Amino acid sequence: EELSSQIAYIESCYRERSALISRLTFIADENKKKRRSSRGIIGAFVYIANCNDIENVNIMDHAKISGVFSLKNGTIDSCAEAQTIVGSGVIAEDFIFQKGSEITSGAVLSATLVGEGCVIGKQFSSENSVFFANSTGHNSETCSVLAGPYTVTHHKSTLLIAGIFSFFNAGSGTNQSNHMYKLGPLSQGIFERGAKTGSSSYILYPARIGAYSVVIGSHYSNCNTSEYPFSYIVEENGRSILRPAVNFFKSGLIRDCEKWPARDRRKTREPLDLIHFHTLSPYVMQKIFRAEKELLSLYASAEKEQDYIAHKGVIIPRHSLRKGAQYYKMIAEIYFGENLVKALSQAPGKSLNEIFRPAPGYGEHCGEWIDACGLLCSLRRMDAFCLSAEKMSSYSELLTGLRSIYNSYAHDAWNWFLDAFRAFYGFDPPGDKKKLLEILDNAKEAVIKRYELVLKDARYDYDDRALGSFGIDGNAREDFTAVRGNFENNQFVIKIKSAMEQDARLFNESAAGLA
């Protein structure tokens, strides 16, 4: 019950580190020995009513169990501030429910962990899977899944299998294959943070989908789009077409990034899973810098007669190579501009040398970054933790070490920004006021352009195509307006326009302070 998404990530993905895996196995075994007994436990202030079978279960304080069909060999962790609820018709065997989770409505679980703040129900079934903070499982099915924070699967026709997911939303009919009926189910998939699938999407494993990307249609070519975040992977005439970077300019992405922190259901003082919600983090930006260069290189090497370029299991339209590179450059300008504005606004009256002074540890964590199931950190810092973990003896030590990494994000991200700024622009931020003003101006232009594209995307929900299912007996526009309102009065649209004005003002104020 102390397992976090980060420990699960390390134990699943670092199998080559035999000493580390042996130590994690040892800690798990020691934990198990302490809890083993000849009978289950019912803690204080527990509510149990109208249940059928409960056998070999540890039920912690304040849990509420009502109308379950069968609970065998498991742990229900709970506390006063984060009550765990297990409801009608649930069947669970070999399970762990962490604090503040809700498992109800006929869920069927085998060898499954349900993390803090998760909601599982509506006849959802799971086998050999773990779900971490704020995930939701309704109606559908999972098998052999590491579901990181905010994994959502909601539809009866959906199967998630043999993959890692986080900040993920599965469209109805989502499916994957993890073997080719040769040597068995050997393949696996990775959906990096923020990926989502459209209805009836299919992916043949092995595959890896880049962060904040959207998958639409069926894909049989073992896609690897990890280096192309914010992309669309769509099926056209049986081919997997990659459209790089376009999702960054869609209204849905902004809504997703706003809703995740707002929907944190965890109530414990120190949650187990360590989650960074930053969208333009060093982890994503390192990929964006590489993607821009790669796309321009592919464009330069392509023949003029070529309409498409085959690359890493996908097909990229030739025009998308150049357009995608332009979009990635825009994202980079936004990233650098927003960080400059933030730094300048937080240090009025200070010199540029003081404002852009590196944080402690500069140079130590400026290389590759990873996303460890919600935790964003440098690979070097994770490597150092893994070495130290080989000598640890408890989950509390592991969690303390990981929490130290979590708390280092601001310093490490700032140092990474300074290093990336020098590599991108060729000088240090304090070095040239005129160039800084030019960077701020370009970034403001990119930010406004993004908002304009987001508003253009949102407007599609109000154009004439949206009227087809309204006004069954006439007056389609009036019926639509009565239900959906006007574009100008939409709360999301109002919020985006306000954000555009506010960001433009912040850029202008920062430029004025520099001049």
Side-chain angles (χ1 to χ4, degrees):
E1 69 269 23
E2 293 177 90
L3 186 71
S4 75
S5 60
Q6 282 72 48
I7 298 172
Y9 175 87
I10 292 168
E11 197 161 359
S12 300
C13 300
Y14 290 10
R15 305 299 293 180
E16 77 280 7
R17 305 182 77 137
S18 56
L20 173 64
I21 298 303
S22 294
R23 174 52 54 170
L24 293 175
T25 302
F26 169 80
I27 292 172
D29 287 342
E30 290 300 302
N31 219 43
K32 181 174 65 177
K33 288 176 186 176
K34 292 176 184 176
R35 285 155 175 73
R36 179 174 286 161
S37 67
S38 60
R39 64 179 64 195
I41 296 169
I42 298 177
F45 306 104
V46 169
Y47 176 92
I48 301 177
N50 303 317
C51 295
N52 192 9
D53 293 338
I54 300 178
E55 182 180 342
N56 298 332
V57 179
N58 285 345
I59 305 170
M60 304 308 183
D61 297 352
H62 296 275
K64 182 177 181 180
I65 306 171
S66 177
V68 302
F69 189 81
S70 177
L71 299 176
K72 293 185 178 180
N73 194 31
T75 295
I76 301 172
D77 201 6
S78 182
C79 62
E81 66 268 22
Q83 184 183 39
T84 299
I85 297 171
V86 187
S88 297
V90 170
I91 300 174
E93 184 170 4
D94 302 329
F95 64 90
I96 296 173
F97 301 155
Q98 291 182 343
K99 292 183 177 74
S101 57
E102 293 186 20
I103 303 90
T104 60
S105 307
V108 180
L109 311 176
S110 173
T112 292
L113 179 145
V114 179
E116 294 179 322
C118 289
V119 177
I120 303 293
K122 298 182 181 178
Q123 299 178 322
F124 177 78
S125 67
S126 169
E127 182 178 356
N128 299 320
S129 297
V130 288
F131 295 84
F132 290 101
N134 302 309
S135 291
T136 299
H138 286 162
N139 301 307
S140 47
E141 178 182 1
T142 64
C143 180
S144 301
V145 161
L146 197 173
Y150 294 92
T151 296
V152 176
T153 171
H154 206 279
H155 305 283
K156 285 186 177 180
S157 53
T158 296
L159 167 67
L160 303 183
I161 188 168
I164 297 176
F165 308 83
S166 64
F167 300 92
F168 175 80
N169 197 312
S172 61
T174 293
N175 196 1
Q176 309 91 45
S177 293
N178 68 325
H179 64 81
M180 291 292 290
Y181 299 101
K182 295 178 181 179
L183 299 178
L186 300 178
S187 301
Q188 60 191 37
I190 300 172
F191 290 73
E192 298 183 17
R193 67 160 52 203
K196 61 170 63 173
T197 55
S199 295
S200 300
S201 71
Y202 166 83
I203 294 179
L204 177 66
Y205 286 167
R208 184 166 182 173
I209 304 301
Y212 304 105
S213 293
V214 178
V215 179
I216 299 172
S218 297
H219 303 275
Y220 298 87
S221 56
N222 304 123
C223 308
N224 184 354
T225 67
S226 174
E227 292 300 295
Y228 300 98
F230 303 111
S231 293
Y232 267 56
I233 303 103
V234 301
E235 177 196 4
E236 292 182 6
N237 300 320
R239 298 182 299 178
S240 299
I241 307 296
L242 178 72
R243 303 194 185 281
V246 296
N247 194 40
F248 187 75
F249 304 94
K250 301 294 185 181
S251 54
L253 177 75
I254 291 181
R255 291 182 66 251
D256 286 342
C257 294
E258 288 179 347
K259 77 185 180 186
W260 287 319
R263 295 182 181 181
D264 193 340
R265 295 184 290 259
R266 296 173 297 171
K267 298 176 183 177
T268 53
R269 295 185 191 89
E270 288 194 336
L272 294 171
D273 300 341
L274 304 170
I275 304 173
H276 290 118
F277 294 101
H278 308 77
T279 305
L280 295 185
S281 65
Y283 168 72
V284 167
M285 293 310 304
Q286 68 192 1
K287 295 173 181 287
I288 283 172
F289 298 147
R290 292 195 289 259
E292 184 201 2
K293 292 178 182 177
E294 184 71 22
L295 291 174
L296 289 175
S297 175
L298 290 170
Y299 183 82
S301 62
E303 299 291 337
K304 289 185 178 179
E305 304 81 44
Q306 284 183 271
D307 292 327
Y308 296 93
I309 307 297
H311 183 64
K312 294 187 176 181
V314 294
I315 305 295
I316 309 176
R318 189 170 183 272
H319 67 85
S320 290
L321 294 171
R322 199 167 183 178
K323 191 68 173 178
Q326 291 172 349
Y327 278 159
Y328 281 132
K329 185 180 179 183
M330 278 181 64
I331 297 171
E333 289 174 337
I334 291 170
Y335 166 74
F336 287 118
E338 288 181 343
N339 275 277
L340 286 174
V341 167
K342 182 179 178 182
L344 291 166
S345 65
Q346 290 179 349
K350 291 186 177 181
S351 69
L352 291 180
N353 285 322
E354 290 177 299
I355 292 171
F356 295 106
R357 180 179 295 141
Y362 178 72
E364 294 179 18
H365 307 292
C366 291
E368 195 74 10
W369 276 56
I370 63 169
D371 175 11
C373 239
L375 171 68
L376 300 171
C377 66
S378 73
L379 183 56
R380 290 181 188 175
R381 206 176 270 283
M382 181 56 76
D383 280 340
F385 167 79
C386 289
L387 284 172
S388 64
E390 292 175 9
K391 300 178 177 63
M392 293 181 183
S393 58
S394 68
Y395 278 118
S396 61
E397 284 185 82
L398 293 170
L399 293 170
T400 298
L402 289 165
R403 194 162 282 114
S404 176
I405 296 176
Y406 174 80
N407 292 331
S408 72
Y409 177 85
H411 278 181
D412 289 353
W414 172 249
N415 287 337
W416 193 91
F417 160 78
L418 295 175
D419 202 54
F421 186 98
R422 185 189 303 111
F424 194 82
Y425 291 109
F427 70 99
D428 289 318
D432 192 321
K433 274 190 177 183
K434 185 178 179 181
K435 287 184 178 179
L436 282 180
L437 285 168
E438 185 179 329
I439 290 168
L440 284 171
D441 190 52
N442 289 338
K444 182 180 78 170
E445 203 173 298
V447 167
I448 291 173
K449 179 66 174 176
R450 185 207 181 184
Y451 282 132
E452 289 173 346
L453 289 172
V454 167
L455 289 171
K456 181 181 178 181
D457 179 63
R459 189 177 284 278
Y460 287 130
D461 281 357
Y462 285 84
D463 67 11
D464 288 346
R465 288 173 295 181
L467 304 182
S469 57
F470 287 85
I472 190 169
D473 295 321
N475 298 319
R477 175 58 70 180
E478 289 84 349
D479 184 27
F480 177 89
T481 302
V483 176
R484 296 286 305 278
N486 295 312
F487 176 78
E488 289 73 16
N489 296 328
N490 180 278
Q491 289 303 306
F492 175 81
V493 172
I494 292 170
K495 186 186 294 184
I496 291 298
K497 288 181 177 179
S498 175
M500 181 163 56
E501 293 174 3
Q502 181 179 344
D503 284 1
R505 185 177 69 254
L506 289 173
F507 274 98
N508 290 336
E509 289 173 355
S510 295
L514 271 178

